Amino acid sequence: MHKFYLLLGALLLSWTASAQLDNITEVNLNFAPTTSGASINITATDTGNGLTVDGPITLMESANYNLTITVSSTSGGITNQIFNAADNHQIFFQPMGSIFSGDVEYVDSDSQGLPLGLRNSVTTECTEDSDATGMLRVVLADLMDMKSAASTIDDGTALFDLTWMVTIEDDASAPPCENEEEIITDVVLTFTPVDGGTPITAAAQDPDGEGPIDLMILNDIELVESTEYTLAITLANSIEGEDITEEIMEEDDEHLFFFAFTDEVFTSPAGNGNADNRADPINYNDMDENGLPVGLSTSWETECGDEAATGVFRVVLKHQPGIKSDVSTISDGGTDVDLTWTVNVSEDPSAPSCENEEEIITDVVLTFTPIDGGTPITAAAQDPDGEGPLDLVILNDIELVESTEYTMTMTLTNSIEGEDITEEIMEEDDEHMFFFAFTDEVFTSPAGDGNVDNRPDPVNYNDMDENGLPVGLSTSWETECGDEAVSGTFRVILKHQPGIKSATSTVDDGGTDVDLTWTVNVSEDASAPSCENEEEIITDVVLTFTPIDGGTPITAAAQDPDGEGPLDLEILDDINLLGDTEYTMTVKLTNSIEGEDITEEIMEEDDEHLFFYAFTEGVFSNPPGDGNIDNRPDSVAYNDFDENGLPVGLSTSWTTPTSMGFGGTFRIVLKHQPDIKSATSTVDDGGTDVDLTFNLNTTTSINGPQGALNQDLTLAPNPASNELNWRLANQPAGSQLEVRIISVTGQVVQSYSSPSPRIDISQLPAGSYIFHLQTEGASGVKRFIKMQ
């Protein structure tokens, strides 16, 4: 009995702390200078319309502050409660504009070493002779046992979400700003041939120094094919006689050049530069003191070509004091230079003929040979004018038969010059790779739709190059079993990837030798065995929620009114559950037309089926979150598993929360995943047998149905911008009320207990929301629009 009262006391204390946290009336920010000067106190208070900030934050430039946050409720200070519940809470900071020189640094942490945010440290920006303005958003989030190192400002439930205007005042006594962006009036690129020859220069100049005119390109970059160059960049400030190149070298750990270029211009580096993706190759010759690239010196090799080529060459110098790293990108830091030249690569009559150039291909033939014997099936494409303006033309469709395994081989020729291109690809197999895309209803193997859109997707390659990487002159395919003929598309792309073919190179890398799309038809085979594992006709779906502690099971159903006709399954009723109850949910599926028990068939083929679930966050206390449709690893409490230990979902467990009634949606998706079901297969894999979304309601009593107060509940104005007024007609005196503002995705974005009839919605993003009002016995729901 003594233990019972201790537990009861702990529960009451937890409930009291939660109630206080849900009723925050004041938030105070104290900025205390670490050297000298008065502290700055800023508050947000609730005057009956929600928390409202009381004015801008004004700080001094280049100053270090200790930032302390205290929180109060109607019953007094609750900062200690937040500290004691640190494992479930975090204060997030989102500075906007140039107000802080770095991130807000957390000083406090929870029992796991994760940040809390009641005590912090911040350094303001150096403003250089003028004030700077911006905003600071502060959010206290209840992360509800989901707090982790990856938690963000958008996770959990916001207990408050406040934004202050911030002014950083210029301080005449502050030291001058270090690492300020330099005035650059001249930029010169010098391409020096590695094997000797006249250097080639290209320049840009600022005609008015600090005036309104930017650096202007003076001339194109004129290079020669098949030549290796070393590029040196020099920068100067001619107004003040400064050598900016030398200053960059002295501060090389704060500067980084990025490059972007037309990918047909250079053979090295491959690709189109690292402006769009930092990891892409650039041949840097110079490194800073930390071993990171700078870019004042780089190496380049022009393409070999049969004609002159023209493209663009972009140079961007980023100033990244304190943030330059091996992953910092073109979006980080300030921009000192951003210039784009035209680059021309002329032919060199004395250069050797180009090796590995793209071949002339006049004929492509695909041959599908049944592995169990039978007549091979061919499909072809032909170039009617060789090197003329016409491309390869598809001559016929690919005509396959259902439930058949094929080996497909490809032959490519240049009939003009009598060349066997297939043989040349085999000789240079480490430079070539075929990619495939196809309609996913056509083949059962490989699964999916090919690797054109995603390199890791399965394709059954039979041939590998000297490095063990796939080529694609020989591949394996198995057509689907079907009750009727099907048609789709079959796309073949041959990429030429000298020097860049790898286990991760994609269809976007290298040159394209072939890109052809055939129509593929799969006909029925009367002699083929009946299809196994085909998608079933499902006419009835029944969900049964059985309370594990006893009580009446609750059912919700969907039915197909016309069987195989054009109408889909229709929801017949809502799911109406009781709060604070643990349920076992079972799913029953039938085909009433043919008298089949689809549930039994799924159990027999459980290694090919998987149910996924999505639900409005908050309708269940367990599993937490919103289901695993958007993210497979998210929690769902499966009770049944297949022969491989993977979940099925015909039986699952669900617990409703102890809070007052709530409503939302409950989506169930049954996926058919023969041969592809795995621990990581998702709702996007395989065919879809069922996809249904029920309305779900939880109530504290059977006599308090969801929506009973809809007629008595009014909202105004609607749409609203800053303030939403609500009124409940016939409201019982002294009744306890709870309000939730719910986004269209089901997330509770604001909540109030015994709320004021005027609610501040100014901080909500524009969009559609649900206003959910709950009394002790019933609830009301209204939709409203938040305007900017």
Side-chain angles (χ1 to χ4, degrees):
M1 182 64 71
H2 178 65
K3 292 182 179 179
F4 169 77
Y5 284 115
L6 285 176
L7 177 60
L8 179 60
L11 291 173
L12 288 173
L13 179 60
S14 173
W15 180 88
T16 303
S18 175
Q20 290 172 332
L21 290 181
D22 285 343
N23 194 22
I24 294 172
T25 57
E26 182 174 292
V27 178
N28 177 266
L29 276 59
N30 177 270
F31 291 85
T34 59
T35 53
S36 62
S39 295
I40 295 95
N41 275 296
I42 296 296
T43 61
T45 56
D46 186 353
T47 59
N49 297 318
L51 288 167
T52 303
V53 299
D54 62 0
I57 302 170
T58 302
L59 306 174
M60 300 304 294
E61 67 162 318
S62 303
N64 297 320
Y65 291 93
N66 291 324
L67 169 58
T68 303
I69 298 178
T70 55
V71 184
S72 300
S73 72
T74 52
S75 60
I78 57 172
T79 308
N80 285 338
Q81 280 92 327
I82 297 171
F83 181 80
N84 292 333
D87 287 351
N88 289 330
H89 294 85
Q90 183 173 344
I91 298 176
F92 293 92
F93 302 91
Q94 187 179 53
M96 291 166 272
S98 299
I99 56 174
F100 299 144
S101 63
D103 294 333
V104 176
E105 297 183 6
Y106 294 93
V107 175
D108 53 3
S109 60
D110 62 16
S111 64
Q112 306 300 317
L114 299 174
L116 175 56
L118 291 170
R119 293 186 295 120
N120 313 275
S121 176
V122 64
T123 302
T124 54
E125 274 283 12
C126 180
T127 61
E128 199 64 38
D129 301 330
S130 62
D131 294 347
T133 59
M135 292 185 292
L136 176 62
R137 182 183 176 199
V138 182
V139 178
L140 171 58
D142 183 350
L143 298 171
M144 298 173 290
D145 298 321
M146 298 183 293
K147 184 177 180 182
S148 71
S151 298
T152 72
I153 200 168
D154 298 316
D155 295 332
T157 300
L159 301 180
F160 64 72
D161 188 340
L162 302 166
T163 300
W164 281 269
M165 293 295 299
V166 179
T167 298
I168 307 299
E169 288 191 342
D170 178 55
D171 184 357
S173 63
C177 302
E178 294 181 6
N179 302 316
E180 61 180 308
E181 294 181 5
E182 299 288 348
I183 300 170
I184 299 174
T185 62
D186 297 86
V187 178
V188 179
L189 311 185
T190 302
F191 288 84
T192 302
V194 172
D195 294 331
T198 304
I200 297 163
T201 60
Q205 192 173 73
D206 186 344
D208 64 347
E210 292 187 85
I213 301 177
D214 294 328
L215 284 158
M216 298 172 58
I217 302 295
L218 301 183
N219 57 333
D220 293 349
I221 302 171
E222 303 289 347
L223 305 179
V224 179
E225 66 162 322
S226 304
T227 304
E228 294 181 51
Y229 295 93
T230 298
L231 167 63
I233 304 176
T234 57
L235 307 94
N237 175 358
S238 60
I239 299 172
E240 301 174 7
E242 289 182 297
D243 184 347
I244 307 301
T245 311
E246 184 176 346
E247 296 186 14
I248 292 172
M249 293 170 67
E250 292 173 355
E251 300 174 356
D252 57 7
D253 62 329
E254 300 178 359
H255 291 85
L256 178 56
F257 285 89
F258 291 84
F259 300 89
F261 42 87
T262 305
D263 63 2
E264 289 84 7
V265 172
F266 298 104
T267 185
S268 179
N272 63 355
N274 64 350
D276 60 339
N277 182 24
R278 167 66 189 274
D280 286 348
I282 293 292
N283 303 323
Y284 291 99
N285 297 326
D286 51 346
M287 303 291 160
D288 65 19
E289 60 194 44
N290 301 311
L292 299 174
V294 181
L296 287 168
S297 175
T298 46
S299 295
W300 306 82
E301 182 177 357
T302 50
E303 278 279 10
C304 177
D306 294 324
E307 57 185 21
T310 297
V312 295
F313 188 81
R314 182 182 175 201
V315 178
V316 180
L317 171 58
K318 298 298 291 190
H319 189 198
Q320 301 181 334
I323 56 174
K324 180 179 176 182
S325 71
D326 57 354
V327 294
S328 58
T329 72
I330 199 171
S331 302
D332 300 317
T335 302
D336 290 335
V337 168
D338 190 344
L339 295 166
T340 301
W341 279 266
T342 297
V343 56
N344 304 307
V345 180
S346 60
E347 294 184 77
D348 182 3
S350 63
S353 59
C354 301
E355 295 183 7
N356 300 320
E357 62 179 310
E358 293 181 7
E359 299 288 347
I360 300 169
I361 299 174
T362 62
D363 297 85
V364 178
V365 179
L366 313 184
T367 302
F368 289 82
T369 303
I371 66 169
D372 292 332
T375 304
I377 297 163
T378 61
Q382 192 172 72
D383 186 345
D385 63 347
E387 290 186 86
L390 299 179
D391 293 328
L392 284 158
V393 176
I394 302 293
L395 300 183
N396 56 333
D397 293 349
I398 301 171
E399 302 289 349
L400 305 180
V401 179
E402 67 162 322
S403 304
T404 304
E405 295 181 52
Y406 295 92
T407 298
M408 186 193 79
T409 56
M410 282 189 278
T411 57
L412 304 94
T413 56
N414 175 358
S415 60
I416 298 172
E417 301 175 6
E419 289 182 297
D420 184 346
I421 307 301
T422 309
E423 184 176 346
E424 295 186 15
I425 292 172
M426 293 170 66
E427 293 173 355
E428 300 171 357
D429 56 8
D430 62 327
E431 300 179 359
H432 291 84
M433 181 170 174
F434 287 88
F435 292 83
F436 301 89
F438 41 87
T439 305
D440 63 2
E441 290 82 8
V442 172
F443 298 104
T444 185
S445 179
D449 60 359
N451 62 352
V452 167
D453 60 339
N454 184 30
R455 167 66 189 272
D457 285 349
V459 168
N460 303 325
Y461 291 96
N462 297 325
D463 50 346
M464 304 292 161
D465 65 18
E466 59 193 46
N467 301 310
L469 299 174
V471 181
L473 286 168
S474 174
T475 47
S476 296
W477 307 83
E478 182 177 357
T479 50
E480 277 280 9
C481 178
D483 293 325
E484 57 184 20
V486 297
S487 293
T489 58
F490 187 82
R491 183 181 178 195
V492 177
I493 299 177
L494 171 59
K495 299 297 293 191
H496 189 198
Q497 302 180 333
I500 57 174
K501 181 180 176 182
S502 71
T504 57
S505 57
T506 72
V507 77
D508 297 320
D509 299 319
T512 302
D513 290 335
V514 168
D515 189 343
L516 295 166
T517 301
W518 277 266
T519 296
V520 56
N521 304 308
V522 180
S523 60
E524 293 182 79
D525 181 2
S527 63
S530 59
C531 300
E532 296 182 6
N533 302 320
E534 61 180 310
E535 292 184 6
E536 298 288 347
I537 300 169
I538 299 174
T539 63
D540 296 86
V541 177
V542 179
L543 312 185
T544 302
F545 289 81
T546 303
I548 66 168
D549 292 332
T552 304
I554 297 166
T555 61
Q559 191 173 72
D560 185 345
D562 64 347
E564 291 186 88
L567 300 179
D568 294 328
L569 285 158
E570 295 181 356
I571 303 293
L572 300 184
D573 38 26
D574 293 349
I575 302 170
N576 295 305
L577 305 180
L578 292 176
D580 194 20
T581 304
E582 187 175 351
Y583 293 93
T584 297
M585 186 194 80
T586 55
V587 185
K588 177 73 173 177
L589 306 98
T590 55
N591 174 358
S592 60
I593 299 172
E594 301 173 7
E596 290 181 298
D597 184 345
I598 307 301
T599 310
E600 183 177 344
E601 296 186 14
I602 292 172
M603 294 170 66
E604 292 172 356
E605 299 170 356
D606 56 8
D607 62 328
E608 300 179 358
H609 292 85
L610 178 56
F611 286 87
F612 292 83
Y613 296 91
F615 41 88
T616 301
E617 186 172 354
V619 296
F620 297 109
S621 60
N622 187 49
D626 60 0
N628 63 353
I629 284 182
D630 60 339
N631 185 30
R632 168 65 188 274
D634 285 349
S635 177
V636 168
Y638 292 97
N639 296 325
D640 52 344
F641 296 86
D642 64 19
E643 60 195 43
N644 301 310
L646 299 174
V648 181
L650 286 167
S651 174
T652 46
S653 294
W654 308 85
T655 303
T656 51
T658 58
S659 62
M660 300 173 73
F662 192 51
T665 60
F666 185 82
R667 182 181 175 199
I668 178 172
V669 179
L670 170 58
K671 298 298 291 192
H672 189 197
Q673 302 181 333
D675 298 326
I676 57 174
K677 180 179 175 182
S678 71
T680 57
S681 57
T682 72
V683 78
D684 297 320
D685 299 319
T688 302
D689 290 335
V690 168
D691 190 343
L692 295 167
T693 300
F694 294 81
N695 290 324
L696 186 147
N697 309 306
T698 62
T699 60
T700 54
S701 69
I702 297 175
N703 296 322
Q706 291 285 324
L709 303 178
N710 285 2
Q711 291 184 345
D712 294 338
L713 177 62
T714 57
L715 303 179
N718 190 5
S721 296
N722 297 311
E723 186 178 87
L724 182 68
N725 300 309
W726 63 271
R727 179 177 178 274
L728 180 63
N730 304 315
Q731 178 180 344
S735 60
Q736 287 293 111
L737 299 176
E738 183 174 338
V739 163
R740 292 182 177 91
I741 305 297
I742 305 168
S743 70
V744 292
T745 62
Q747 182 182 12
V748 178
V749 294
Q750 291 183 4
S751 60
Y752 309 90
S753 294
S754 298
S756 162
R758 292 181 297 278
I759 292 178
D760 180 13
I761 60 169
S762 60
Q763 301 301 317
L764 291 178
S768 179
Y769 294 87
I770 295 170
F771 182 96
H772 183 276
L773 176 69
Q774 180 69 47
T775 67
E776 290 92 333
S779 69
V781 176
K782 292 286 186 181
R783 187 177 295 274
F784 71 92
I785 303 296
K786 165 64 167 65
M787 303 293 289
Q788 288 284 13

